[in-house]
């Protein structure tokens, strides 16, 4: 199964096949699963620009609907992270006479609310209505649309060029990335920067984080592929900086060509990617083999524990949970429920596997013997919060980078 690269038109060979999958963030109601939508989750790399991408693509209006359930403010660590980023921009880039910052996919305003408090001109671009309303309540100005090359000139006409453009966990979600980059080229001030952070291919491969592959992650970026994409659309990659958030992300900085010096980090990371063989099909094929082993080990462990009468609950229902449970064939027979702190997910089901999502109290009011940690990227925060679970003998099951009990 091959397809055409969304960035350069090259050939994308499918290397990782995670089978039929529903939408990661669908969260159907219990009575609403009769005609669930499935697509085949296959990921591959472009032969010419090395961009890793989904072969099959779902229209974005279906993904980012009005009730899109992901709230970026849902974790204290994430709130701190985005407040830190806002402060950094306020201190370094937004210091001119009347600076202007644009955030693509501003979600519930976790970053821009801090900019708004500082009285700096800003615009959030957020097509999902419920989260956009939440950010408005925090004083954030929002354009309820998708960003692309047609929105950029309108924003430019109304507000002028952007000193900073930002996106977090959204740029790799946009299958019309080529159009976004054309829009950025247009809207970015001559000395402005476009900063975005997304899960990093190097970490995904190193940790065999196959659950980070789902319908919303149209791409998994590498420094090499972003450098090529930037150049293709008249921009320049001037910095790349790893960040442990979301289980391993990279923060990229693009600028107009020649406007900013290129940091040493870019060259260092490119060299590291070469030694990691990140640009080779074989690397993805080996990844697929390791994902199959995790699947076999995990389902084997859960069946074994279940057979011994152990009670197992899931912890955290990020979209990753949809990939793991559907790929491994984990249903409510093995994991009767998953607890999650997001109100809009509670009372719903994980798409495809139909495991019910309940509030955290379902976990803490009656501890199970084992907790399968789907939100493994928040392990530290969650394990600290649920310390009394471990103190009473409860054990955590992790599956990335391999299946183990802690
Ligand atoms: P994320 O990995 O995409 O940030 O999603 C994390 C999910 O885990 C989200 O649905 C909220 C949930 N969660 C909890 O239920 N409890 C917690 O303590 C944390 C940090 C997250
Ligand atoms: Zn390509």
């Amino acid at each position: 199964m091959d397809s055409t690269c969304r960035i350069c038109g090259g050939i994308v060979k499918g290397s990782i096949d995670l089978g039929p999958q529903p939408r990661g963030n669908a969260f159907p109601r219990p009575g609403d699963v009769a005609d669930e939508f499935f697509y085949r989750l296959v990921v591959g790399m472009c032969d010419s620009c090395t961009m890793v991408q989904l072969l099959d693509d779902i229209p974005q209006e279906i993904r980012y609907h009005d009730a899109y359930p992901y709230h970026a403010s849902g974790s204290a660590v994430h709130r701190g992270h985005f407040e830190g980023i806002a402060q950094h921009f306020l201190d370094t880039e937004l210091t001119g006479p009347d600076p202007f910052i644009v955030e693509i996919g501003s979600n519930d305003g976790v970053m821009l609310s801090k900019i708004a408090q500082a009285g700096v001109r800003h615009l959030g671009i957020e097509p999902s209505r419920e989260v956009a309303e939440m950010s408005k309540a925090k004083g954030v100005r929002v354009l309820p649309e998708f960003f692309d090359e047609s929105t950029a000139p309108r924003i430019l006409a109304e507000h002028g060029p952007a000193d900073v453009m930002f996106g977090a966990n959204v740029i790799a979600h946009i299958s019309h990335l080529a159009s976004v980059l054309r829009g950025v080229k247009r809207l970015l001030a001559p000395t402005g920067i476009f900063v975005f952070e997304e899960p990093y291919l190097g970490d995904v491969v190193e940790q065999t984080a196959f659950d980070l592959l789902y319908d919303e992650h149209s791409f998994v970026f590498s420094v090499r592929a972003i450098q090529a994409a930037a150049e293709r659309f008249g921009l320049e990659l001037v910095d790349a900086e790893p960040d442990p958030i979301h289980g391993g992300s990279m923060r990229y900085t693009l600028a107009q060509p020649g406007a900013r010096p290129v940091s040493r980090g870019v060259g260092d990371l490119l060299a590291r990617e070469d030694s990691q063989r990140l640009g080779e099909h074989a690397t993805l094929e080996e990844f697929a083999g390791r994902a199959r082993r995790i699947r076999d080990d995990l389902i084997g462990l859960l069946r074994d524990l279940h057979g011994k009468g152990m009670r197992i609950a899931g912890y955290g229902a990020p979209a990753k949970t949809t990939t793991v449970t559907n790929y491994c064939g984990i249903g409510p027979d093995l994991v009767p429920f998953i607890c999650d702190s997001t109100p809009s997910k509670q009372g719903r089901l994980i798409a495809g596997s139909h495991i019910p999502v309940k509030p955290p109290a379902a976990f803490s009011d009656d501890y199970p013997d084992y907790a399968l940690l789907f939100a493994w990227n928040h392990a530290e925060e969650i394990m600290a919060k649920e310390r009394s679970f471990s103190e009473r003998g409860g054990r955590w099951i992790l599956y990335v980078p391999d299946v183990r009990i802690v």
Side-chain angles (χ1 to χ4, degrees), residues 25 53 62 200 325 339 359 391:
N25 270 318
Q53 51 200 285
I62 298 179
Y200 175 52
T325 55
C339 72
E391 283 166 2

Side-chain angles (χ1 to χ4, degrees), residues 300-323:
L301 174 66
L302 296 176
R303 284 197 186 126
D304 183 45
L305 294 173
H306 182 71
K308 290 177 177 152
M310 295 291 151
R311 289 164 57 232
I312 308 166
Y315 204 107
K320 299 191 273 291
T321 314
T322 307
T323 301

Side-chain angles (χ1 to χ4, degrees), residues 208-220:
T208 318
F210 64 96
D211 54 349
L212 276 166
L213 306 176
Y214 52 92
D215 61 305
E216 292 179 19
H217 289 172
S218 300
F219 302 97
V220 187

Side-chain angles (χ1 to χ4, degrees), residues 5 7-10 46 48-51 53:
C5 175
I7 301 298
C8 79
C46 171
S48 36
C49 77
T50 76
M51 183 66 89
Q53 51 200 285

